[in-house]
Amino acid sequence: MRRRTRALALAVVAGLVAPLAACSSDDGPPTLTWYINPDDGGQAEIAKRCTDAANGAYRIETSILPRDASAQREQLARRLAAKDSSIDIMSLDPPFIPELAEPGFLAPIPQDVADKVSQDVVQGALDGATWKGKLVTVPFWANTQLLWYRKSVAEKAGLDPSKTPVTWKQIIDAAKDQSKFLAVQGTKAESLTVWINALVESAGGHILTNPEAPADELKLGLETDAGKAAAEVMGTIGKEGLGGPGLPTADEGASLTLFQGDKGSFMVNWPFVWSATNAAVEDGTLDKSLLDDIGWGLYPQVTEGTKSRPPYGGINLGIGAFSKHVDDSLKAAQCIVTPENQAYYFATNGNPPSNTKSYEDADVKKAFPMADVIRESLENAAPRPQTPYYNEVSLGLQETWHPPASVNPATTPKKSTDFITSVLRGEQLL
Amino acid sequence: MTAEVATAQTVEDAARPRRKVARSDRARSEARLGWLLAGPAFVVMLLVTLYPILQATYDSLFAYRLTAPDDKEFIGLRNYVEVLTDSVFVQALLVTLLIMVVSVVVELLLGFALALVMHRAITQLRGLLRTVILVPYGIITVVSAFAWFYAFDINSGFVNHWFSWLPFIDTDLNWFAQQGTSLFVIIASEIWKTTPFISLLLLAGLAQVPTELEEAAEVDGATWWQRMRKVVLPNMKAAIMVAVLFRALDAFRIFDNVFIMTNGANGTTVLSLLAYRTSIGRLEIGLGSAISVILFLCVLLICFIAIKLFKVNLAGARGES
């Protein structure tokens, strides 16, 4: 009886240990794990291409992060804080880079690699990949918002945004006169911060005036003419119902639906709207005449004659500081961001390249006739505040600038400044 | 004479020190088997619940941000003072209590009605009826939250179109843009999802009410309402209290519905969401742990009030009392 028990115990232990032994194999090339944001399969295809190009030096496997950018950040930050060595390469949303760079969660990018991956890269993407004057991530793709408009509405209003940049006041007046809706993102989420930041930057200000300072010394730049001008635009759209009844919950997808509808006029949104509308027309859910009626131009100006600072987004590649294969990961990252791979990614998945060379690709020009406007927009784009406390700043803005109808230039900037300051000082919950 | 002997015997019994009643071999081996079967689960439960509770309590005494591990500093109870004096916390607590009270009261009434239907249904229909009633409870909360969200969403929802004939609903109503309408959908979703749970517990209570008592009351001329009030309800008090306690604890910890539908917008933040946002979102482990510990203490308080003040007998629902 006892012998049988012992044999059973041995079998159980062997069963538990055998799979672990299989995992610890040191044979063969190292496998690099690339944590990616969900897409249409483009990053997995690039991983395959770079694995082939490595000629057996390494293999790249992808692992999918949550869909939401803040959930991606939460997962990566927690795993990096636990010194997770399985994270070799990460697709990172730019606003969260300082938070991971400051505590040393990202492996440093050697100068020679930094020089190489910075060549021909648009300024907005370089700014977003930098922390305290150093490139800490490899710029991959760079996103920006354009002004999308219905040609019929713009024509009636006497505007041609494709030739002359328009102002927020002009599109507000046009929508009001023609009883149309403006498609903007008013939901209490990151997209609201994106809008606030673009408005403040376009008005010549900054949400944070000293983003590299410690939490309790951070200073906000909202109680300025720029902050008030931003609040004026948002408050007017909210109060006058120009964003439609869905404005307080409108994200990028909802904005696109509004724009495609009968009351659509002008929309600020990322370039995915073009491929999404094309796909809908191909599927027969939207009429081809809608596609012909859509035009594009640079992001609206807050002050006439002053260049707008459009939103900047996208993905940069970070290398995990606790990875066992930092050198291979750096090589793999350089392969991932080649202009060819970026052009492929743009043409197939709709995510614009950070490398200007990719915009010369024939497939890109065919899929995105507005590619040159996107590149120009990226050169002017302003990153969101680059601080390790970005999450607090962003959530604090959402708390005080939502819903858009409640935004008042006389009170909101001060309320927002007081609230975010006390949260950063640890005096208030969020 | 007999009485005297009996009295003497009783006194003698009382004076003798109480000895443990000897158990039979069978009883002992059954007890041992019980421990063997339940023991591992008990140990695992201790590990997975006690360890995080102790860790959270310890962490709550520090100013500790996950991305700044070197700045970790012992601050005693300062996190608790900050949380308890914060207006955001007070509002979250009030919203949580509102959701708990409204959903438990409505669920209790609806659940009792459903339990009566299930109890009285004719035998052929009983199985089908119970299955149909239990379907919402079988759905994962996140899935049901998304279903309710998309039903009421101003872009994809059908509710505004189907019910636009009602005076307070029109196609432009954005349910998730104000506190009142947001809370209405959140509470309605809770009620839809968990009323079957309450009705099941109440059905067990109904089954314990002796039919003779009801029949006797009927013979005595009691009306349906009188039979309910004087016979049925008093006899199933234990089951009702257990149902209320379990659901109240469950509703107090509400998270999924709020997270999916509003993520706390328009004053709909609840305590669990506040703890999540602080610990997981802001990575403020110390402050977030303090909120979690307070949430845990609130749950304990609800248990205490129910068991001590309302004398809930947890074994009562199983008919052991």
Side-chain angles (χ1 to χ4, degrees), chain A residues 45 49 81 95 106 185 210 223 249 327 340 373 410 425 430:
Chain A
E45 171 59 24
R49 289 178 178 196
L106 301 178
Q185 292 84 53
N210 57 344
E223 284 183 274
T249 51
D327 289 341
E340 299 76 42
V373 184
R425 287 185 182 151
L430 186 53

Side-chain angles (χ1 to χ4, degrees), chain B residues 37-297:
Chain B
L37 291 174
F42 182 68
V43 171
V44 171
M45 280 295 287
L46 265 188
L47 283 176
V48 298
T49 55
L50 196 63
Y51 167 69
I53 291 170
L54 293 178
Q55 180 73 46
T57 312
Y58 175 75
D59 284 339
S60 68
L61 305 174
F62 289 84
Y64 174 32
R65 189 183 169 88
L66 200 63
T67 48
D70 298 337
D71 300 342
K72 189 172 176 176
E73 184 195 350
F74 179 80
I75 53 165
L77 297 175
R78 223 188 311 158
N79 280 332
Y80 290 94
V81 174
E82 190 184 317
V83 172
L84 291 170
T85 54
D86 195 288
S87 59
V88 175
F89 172 81
V90 174
Q91 206 207 334
L93 179 65
L94 292 176
V95 170
T96 311
L97 286 172
L98 176 78
I99 292 175
M100 183 184 84
V101 170
V102 175
S103 58
V104 170
V105 168
V106 177
E107 282 175 30
L108 204 59
L109 295 173
L110 282 178
F112 189 68
L114 287 178
L116 277 179
V117 171
M118 285 196 277
H119 190 57
R120 305 254 191 259
I122 49 172
T123 329
Q124 287 93 332
L125 281 178
R126 199 171 281 171
L128 179 72
L129 203 62
R130 287 184 187 180
T131 311
V132 168
I133 287 175
L134 281 174
V135 166
Y137 193 56
I139 294 173
I140 298 164
T141 314
V142 171
V143 176
S144 104
F146 270 117
W148 279 76
F149 172 75
Y150 286 123
F152 282 83
D153 180 47
I154 190 165
N155 297 307
S156 61
F158 57 83
V159 170
N160 281 357
H161 296 280
W162 284 13
F163 296 97
S164 55
W165 50 273
L166 286 170
F168 50 90
I169 296 180
D170 66 60
T171 48
D172 282 349
L173 174 60
N174 191 345
W175 291 85
F176 301 110
Q178 308 90 26
Q179 188 185 37
T181 46
S182 302
L183 285 176
F184 173 81
V185 182
I186 289 166
I187 292 173
S189 162
E190 279 284 302
I191 291 169
W192 177 79
K193 170 95 177 62
T194 42
T195 298
F197 172 72
I198 289 236
S199 68
L200 257 196
L201 287 178
L202 295 180
L203 181 64
L206 269 181
Q208 285 166 31
V209 180
T211 42
E212 310 87 72
L213 289 181
E214 271 195 87
E215 282 165 10
E218 201 171 354
V219 169
D220 288 346
T223 61
W224 180 85
W225 176 240
Q226 282 171 328
R227 290 201 307 274
M228 271 301 140
R229 215 159 53 89
K230 303 278 186 189
V231 180
V232 177
L233 289 177
N235 273 293
M236 56 182 294
K237 187 190 157 216
I240 293 172
M241 291 317 292
V242 168
V244 168
L245 174 61
F246 281 12
R247 249 320 275 158
L249 292 181
D250 204 27
F252 194 79
R253 293 178 294 113
I254 181 174
F255 178 81
D256 317 43
N257 275 324
V258 183
F259 183 69
I260 301 291
M261 293 193 207
T262 61
N263 198 15
N266 316 312
T268 56
T269 298
V270 287
L271 279 187
S272 299
L273 188 66
L274 187 63
Y276 169 84
R277 194 189 291 152
T278 313
S279 296
I280 312 286
R282 295 180 56 198
L283 304 170
E284 289 285 0
I285 303 296
L287 204 55
S289 296
I291 301 173
S292 302
V293 171
I294 292 170
L295 180 64
F296 176 65
L297 292 177

Side-chain angles (χ1 to χ4, degrees), chain A residues 307-373:
Chain A
K307 263 191 179 180
S308 63
R309 305 288 317 269
Y312 159 70
I315 288 290
N316 292 342
L317 300 179
I319 310 297
F322 312 103
S323 160
K324 290 174 185 150
H325 313 289
V326 170
D327 289 341
D328 284 330
S329 300
L330 283 165
K331 280 181 205 152
Q334 290 174 73
C335 170
I336 291 166
V337 302
T338 55
E340 299 76 42
N341 282 337
Q342 290 194 29
Y344 157 78
Y345 199 42
F346 190 23
T348 56
N349 282 237
N351 294 323
S354 61
N355 194 304
T356 51
K357 275 190 177 170
S358 310
Y359 288 87
E360 287 151 24
D361 188 281
D363 288 342
V364 163
K365 292 201 164 163
K366 195 176 155 209
F368 286 90
M370 69 295 299
D372 288 337
V373 184

Side-chain angles (χ1 to χ4, degrees), chain A residues 145 185 189-199 252 270 299 311-312 384 390:
Chain A
Q145 288 194 357
Q185 292 84 53
E190 185 59 24
S191 50
L192 187 71
T193 310
V194 168
W195 188 21
I196 299 168
N197 187 61
L199 289 173
E252 290 90 339
W270 310 98
Y299 199 81
Y312 159 70
R384 279 158 272 169
Y390 176 75

